[in-house]
Amino acid sequence: MSVKLKLTGLYSVVLLSTLVIMSIASSLMLSFGLVSNLNNSLAEDIIEALNTLSTIPSDEYPQALAELEDKSVSSFFVYDLNSKSLIGDSPSNTVIQETLRGITDWQTGINSHSMNSVDGQSRLYLISLTPGSDKLVVVARDTAYIQAALKTYRNILFMTLPGALIIAAIAGWVLANSSLRQVRVITDTAEKIDPAKLEERIPVKHRDELGRLSGTLNALFDRIHGFIQRQHRFTADASHDLTAPLTGIRSSAEVALMKERTPEEYRQSLENIIGRTDKMQAIVDDLMTLAGLDAGPRPAKSAELELSKLAEEAVNRWQAPAANEDIELTAEIKPGVSIFGEPEQFDRLLDNLLSNAVKYTPPGGKVNLTLAQQDGEIIIRVTDTGIGISPEHLPHLGERFYRIDRRVEGTGLGLSIVQGTAQIYRGGMEVESAPGEGSTFRIILPDGSGS
Ligand code: ADP
């Protein structure tokens, strides 16, 4: 059964129950109200009759009763319990008489009593003429109008109830239909989505719950789409960057085998092959490192590291290469800074930053590494006076295989590893740079990160 049908059914059943309960309650209240009104009027009439009859002799009763009847819509009688006879003149008196004959145990203690006539058409109110008297004053009033009013009221209810229910069911159906329209739109869009492209989006018209759900799903599709695009680019870039050295290896071998070569020529070919293999190895190493970072932190391989010591060692490692390029490498390392993590990951991060700084700084330049700890953060800063980076490249520096100048040797994976490492320790990478003015790479890690 569809949700729409269930909602409409449920809505109709609830409404029907409510209407039935309300109808029964209102008809009972109407009946109770009419009867109590009647009782009040009868009580007023009987008091008046009592006042009149108690002051006159019994032979004047018929006259007095006729006068009372003239003034009221009730019928008035005096009933003698002993002779079981009725004094008074009214067309309904035979029914009244029959009703009153049914009274066998009138007790003198009972002052007043109300009852229905035997035919159910009248309501009677009786009272002893005087306390202990065997004469009763009786007031009767036709109750047919009550039955008629109740009947009319119930008829109206019976006639309007099915109509109201049908209108409510149609309204419920329309409401459920319009509320669930967005669910259909979501389903249709989801069916149309091609997982390879993921370009379809759910149209959002209203900002209600389903509109918000659609917006959230669209944002999810955007993220998955972005991820798939990055994966495609990554695979294409990785294949491209691995194909170049592979082609070089093959052509070196082919050229060497074309004819008989001197041992020196063979040596050159083999060295060429080794050089290209090293390039492939570097790419594969970086890819493996990135795959490791993608898997997230590995607490089992982590330990409390003295980051200050790792930074000092990295600076020492890069002193000679920097000196070879006539670059002054300095450091300001706060002692005793420690972090919970994998030492290889931090060695790699520091090496990548220092190698870039040395690589992109011309001879005579300066490179500085600072390790600081402040405001609950550990900051690794590598500044150089090198060639700098144009603003349009800055947002892409963490992307895999992103290289600004493809003529310069490199894999384009170094900064992705730096950024990926910072991120798994819940930190980030910031870059400040301008062409010709050098660069500053800042790695900010929460203090105690990874622990
Ligand atoms: P690569 O292996 O090419 O150095 P990276 O991911 O380390 O790859 O760097 C990406 C790009 O960012 C480099 O191609 C380079 O153009 C630029 N870059 C990185 N570090 C610096 C720096 N210190 N100064 C200037 N440019 C830099």
Side-chain angles (χ1 to χ4, degrees), residues 88-400:
D89 188 22
S90 167
S92 57
N93 59 10
T94 47
V95 176
I96 301 294
Q97 196 153 26
E98 211 181 310
T99 308
L100 293 172
R101 278 200 186 120
I103 301 172
T104 48
D105 57 344
W106 182 267
Q107 286 153 12
T108 48
I110 299 174
N111 274 335
S112 66
H113 181 65
S114 63
M115 63 197 295
N116 288 330
S117 62
V118 283
D119 64 354
Q121 296 295 310
S122 306
R123 182 99 186 136
L124 272 64
Y125 209 106
L126 342 166
I127 195 162
S128 301
L129 186 57
T130 51
S133 158
D134 51 5
K135 288 198 174 52
L136 303 181
V137 179
V138 181
V139 181
R141 199 179 275 194
D142 195 357
T143 55
Y145 76 96
I146 293 182
Q147 307 304 334
L150 283 175
K151 199 171 165 205
T152 312
Y153 182 66
R154 280 172 199 152
N155 283 346
I156 291 170
L157 284 180
F158 273 121
M159 270 161 19
T160 51
L161 210 84
L165 201 68
I166 290 168
I167 292 170
I170 292 171
W173 176 267
V174 170
L175 216 68
N177 199 31
S178 77
S179 307
L180 294 174
R181 189 172 301 132
Q182 188 63 14
V183 174
R184 269 203 311 282
V185 173
I186 295 173
T187 315
D188 290 349
T189 312
E191 275 169 1
K192 271 192 267 166
I193 284 181
D194 174 358
K197 291 206 207 93
L198 218 74
E199 275 160 355
E200 210 78 40
R201 291 292 175 273
I202 303 163
V204 183
K205 286 210 184 101
H206 306 287
R207 296 304 304 169
D208 54 10
E209 286 83 348
L210 289 175
R212 280 210 299 282
L213 171 68
S214 309
T216 310
L217 286 174
N218 282 342
L220 175 69
F221 294 154
D222 285 344
R223 287 201 298 278
I224 298 175
H225 189 213
F227 177 76
I228 290 175
Q229 279 186 322
R230 281 199 300 281
Q231 283 304 103
H232 282 168
R233 218 172 28 236
F234 175 71
T235 315
D237 288 343
S239 320
H240 176 268
D241 281 42
L242 284 170
T243 305
L246 208 57
T247 315
I249 290 171
R250 191 181 166 92
S251 60
S252 292
E254 278 174 353
V255 168
L257 289 173
M258 257 182 202
K259 58 176 185 175
E260 202 61 35
R261 305 270 178 194
T262 63
E264 184 52 30
E265 282 173 329
Y266 280 128
R267 170 184 293 280
Q268 267 183 6
S269 295
L270 288 174
E271 276 174 357
N272 202 321
I273 288 172
I274 290 174
R276 289 175 201 269
T277 319
D278 284 347
K279 164 92 180 164
M280 284 180 80
Q281 185 66 55
I283 296 175
V284 172
D285 281 352
D286 281 352
L287 287 176
M288 301 237 319
T289 306
L290 282 168
L293 292 175
D294 285 344
R298 294 178 294 191
K301 293 201 169 193
S302 302
E304 189 75 21
L305 305 176
E306 207 183 316
L307 199 53
S308 310
K309 208 163 134 236
L310 294 185
E312 260 165 37
E313 286 168 2
V315 171
N316 289 340
R317 270 198 302 281
W318 283 92
Q319 279 300 354
N324 283 346
E325 300 293 326
D326 192 19
I327 293 167
E328 188 190 342
L329 173 57
T330 55
E332 285 153 47
I333 296 169
K334 183 181 166 144
V337 178
S338 61
I339 193 163
F340 188 81
E342 286 185 53
E344 295 77 20
Q345 289 175 338
F346 285 97
D347 281 342
R348 192 69 176 254
L349 180 145
L350 292 161
D351 280 345
N352 284 0
L353 288 175
L354 287 172
S355 98
N356 277 349
V358 170
K359 186 157 83 178
Y360 297 105
T361 301
K366 287 182 183 163
V367 172
N368 174 267
L369 183 143
T370 307
L371 176 67
Q373 191 175 28
Q374 63 192 51
D375 304 330
E377 288 178 338
I378 295 171
I379 300 157
I380 303 167
R381 198 175 59 222
V382 175
T383 309
D384 63 57
T385 57
I387 59 170
I389 303 164
S390 309
E392 71 270 21
H393 295 297
L394 294 178
H396 304 289
L397 289 182
E399 289 173 16
R400 294 171 186 192

Side-chain angles (χ1 to χ4, degrees), residues 356 359-360 384 389 397 402-404 410-412 414-415 439 441:
N356 277 349
K359 186 157 83 178
Y360 297 105
D384 63 57
I389 303 164
L397 289 182
Y402 191 81
R403 286 158 72 192
I404 297 171
T411 61
L415 289 178
S439 313
F441 286 80

Side-chain angles (χ1 to χ4, degrees), residues 42-53 68 71-72 76:
L42 288 174
E44 280 169 16
D45 283 350
I46 209 155
I47 287 168
E48 195 176 349
L50 204 59
N51 287 342
T52 310
L53 297 171
L68 282 166
K71 287 192 276 173
S72 166
F76 293 82

